[in-house]
Amino acid sequence: MTDPSVRTDQGNRTPLGPSYWKLWVSSGLSNLADGVLKIALPLLAIQVTQSPTLIAGLTVAATLPWLFFALTAGALADRMDRRRLMAWANLSRAVLPALLVAVLLLDLGSIWALYVVALMVGVAETLYDTSAQSILPQVVHRDQLSRANGRLYTVELTTNQFVGPPLGGLLVGIGVVAGLVVPAALWCAAVGGLLLLPGSFRVEREGRTTLRSDIREGLGFLWNQKVLRTLAAMTGVLNFASSAAFAVLVLFAVGPSSEMGLSEVGFGVLLTTSAVGSFIGSLTAERIEAGLGRAVSLMLTIVGCALFVGAPALSSSPFVLGPIFLLGGLLIVLWNVITVSLRQRITPDRLLGRVNSAYRLLAWGTMPLGAATGGLLAQWLGLQAMFGIMGLLTLALLGMMPILTNRAIAAAEAQPNAG
């Protein structure tokens, strides 16, 4: 029987509307580009180095902007038209792989060139992702958010993880230029989709403020919301562990001397299993949330994620890891749908960009630290020992679950300053 304090969208089946579906198409194109590039860059990297530390450095470079630029990105998302900010971010991301093609054709390519591209793509990503999560309550009603987020995750994760990785592996197998030009073209197409979205998405502001005071206000709101603050810290640990594991997974999986012995295309297929789970999760998250309640759903996710990052410590068989990655993908989407929808409901729209960025500073700022730690631990202790450590670290998050009861979550949504 469903806990009455569990809020879902089951009672509102109003169509999400044409503006939402335009945003949905643009998001799919953008995430397909990201999925291709995120597999293309590591595959290019292992052609110039086999060092776990240097390979992990690529993930550090890509995620470092969340540590240093996230708060500024959130303040900009609350000051500017969020649709235009997303468009400019995608245009910037389209230019960067095209520039890398020129560098490679001039025979100037190195691991450092890949670092620069990953870093700058990461800066644009902070602007795009913060604006994308903040624009959604301006496009649909707040009691449609679980459904709207679930549908967005369907296309985002399908393109980013299901189609993007094998396509990226195939394109790099054909030629380096193909692996870089295709994502650039996809990001340009995503900008076209955003331009079809009607209306203004600039938030009403009362008076003039400084960027510093705006950032302080967003941080203060997050700090005073115990449920959101706890979720941000837990997501930070989850992302730390998963970044540590997946920053060097390519060394564990790809090549005849690796533990798994997969080809580039086979590696893309392995990652696709998690995308299959993500796709299933995006379609079922709303029902799981309603049936189990949010507290139990989050607890199951922690256990599944511990298995997701720790399983390579126990097996190198793709027939074992594939189903585990599938389950992990499903549960990660469940976590995201619940936590993102909750954050969008609790936070007033005028603060949403800043609260999203402050949340992600805690939740995503750990990713470069995790990637660096994973590379170092793999160098010192070996790949499988590192996977096991990260699995145990994830499992330890169960100790924080007493804070996140269904009653506490419902009370946070009911506070007077909730969005």
Side-chain angles (χ1 to χ4, degrees), residues 22-23 26 77 80-90 127-128 131-132 134-135 138-139 190-202:
K22 291 172 184 175
L23 182 66
S26 177
M80 301 172 63
D81 186 299
R82 289 163 177 168
R83 181 192 60 166
R84 292 184 181 179
L85 199 56
M86 292 166 67
W88 281 112
N90 271 350
L127 290 168
Y128 179 87
S131 300
S134 303
I135 201 175
Q138 295 174 285
V139 177
V191 171
L194 287 171
L195 295 178
L196 297 175
L197 192 63
S200 172
F201 296 91
R202 184 188 295 270

Side-chain angles (χ1 to χ4, degrees), residues 86-388:
M86 292 166 67
W88 281 112
N90 271 350
L91 281 175
S92 300
R93 289 197 283 187
V95 169
L96 289 164
L99 290 176
L100 183 57
V101 169
V103 169
L104 295 174
L105 291 177
L106 292 172
D107 201 24
L108 299 174
S110 68
I111 190 67
W112 304 107
L114 298 179
Y115 284 174
V116 170
V117 170
L119 179 67
M120 298 310 296
V121 168
V123 170
E125 183 182 45
T126 63
L127 290 168
Y128 179 87
D129 284 3
T130 301
S131 300
Q133 284 198 349
S134 303
I135 201 175
L136 191 58
Q138 295 174 285
V139 177
V140 301
H141 295 295
R142 288 182 183 265
D143 57 358
Q144 295 176 309
L145 284 170
S146 286
R147 180 156 48 107
N149 279 311
R151 301 299 182 268
L152 270 178
Y153 277 116
T154 300
V155 68
E156 289 175 0
L157 293 165
T158 299
T159 53
N160 192 286
Q161 297 182 25
F162 183 70
V163 181
L167 179 59
L170 177 63
L171 290 171
V172 173
I174 294 171
V176 172
V177 172
L180 297 173
V181 169
V182 169
L186 288 168
W187 271 314
C188 288
V191 171
L194 287 171
L195 295 178
L196 297 175
L197 192 63
S200 172
F201 296 91
R202 184 188 295 270
V203 181
E204 291 288 338
R205 295 173 57 84
E206 297 180 1
R208 301 183 64 179
T209 58
T210 65
L211 203 63
R212 179 178 295 182
S213 65
D214 284 352
I215 291 172
R216 189 186 306 118
E217 187 180 12
L219 286 170
F221 184 90
L222 178 62
W223 180 255
N224 290 323
Q225 289 284 343
K226 186 176 182 180
V227 167
L228 293 185
R229 185 176 73 234
T230 302
L231 285 171
M234 294 174 72
T235 306
V237 175
L238 288 172
N239 284 334
F240 179 92
S242 62
S243 292
F246 285 88
V248 293
L249 183 63
V250 65
L251 290 174
F252 182 79
V254 178
S257 61
S258 68
E259 292 289 334
M260 297 187 72
L262 299 177
S263 66
E264 289 87 350
V265 175
F267 181 54
V269 173
L270 175 66
L271 296 182
T272 298
T273 59
S274 68
V276 173
S278 299
F279 179 79
I280 296 170
S282 65
L283 297 176
T284 58
E286 184 185 359
R287 293 184 178 88
I288 296 173
E289 177 185 350
L292 297 180
R294 288 178 287 196
V296 173
S297 297
L298 294 174
M299 189 180 303
L300 288 176
T301 299
I302 292 171
V303 175
C305 287
L307 187 60
F308 188 43
V309 300
L314 305 175
S315 175
S316 60
S317 169
F319 300 104
V320 173
L321 296 182
I324 291 174
F325 281 17
L326 186 146
L327 177 63
L330 187 156
L331 293 173
I332 287 170
V333 171
L334 177 62
W335 176 280
N336 287 337
V337 168
I338 292 173
T339 58
V340 172
S341 300
L342 181 62
R343 190 163 74 245
Q344 290 167 337
R345 289 192 186 108
I346 291 175
T347 309
D349 193 47
R350 68 178 187 84
L351 283 170
L352 191 51
R354 285 166 283 170
V355 172
N356 277 333
S357 66
Y359 186 99
R360 286 193 168 195
L361 175 65
L362 297 175
W364 288 37
T366 58
M367 292 193 296
L369 303 177
T373 302
L376 291 172
L377 287 177
Q379 191 89 46
W380 296 337
L381 303 177
L383 288 166
Q384 289 184 298
M386 183 275 298
F387 290 131

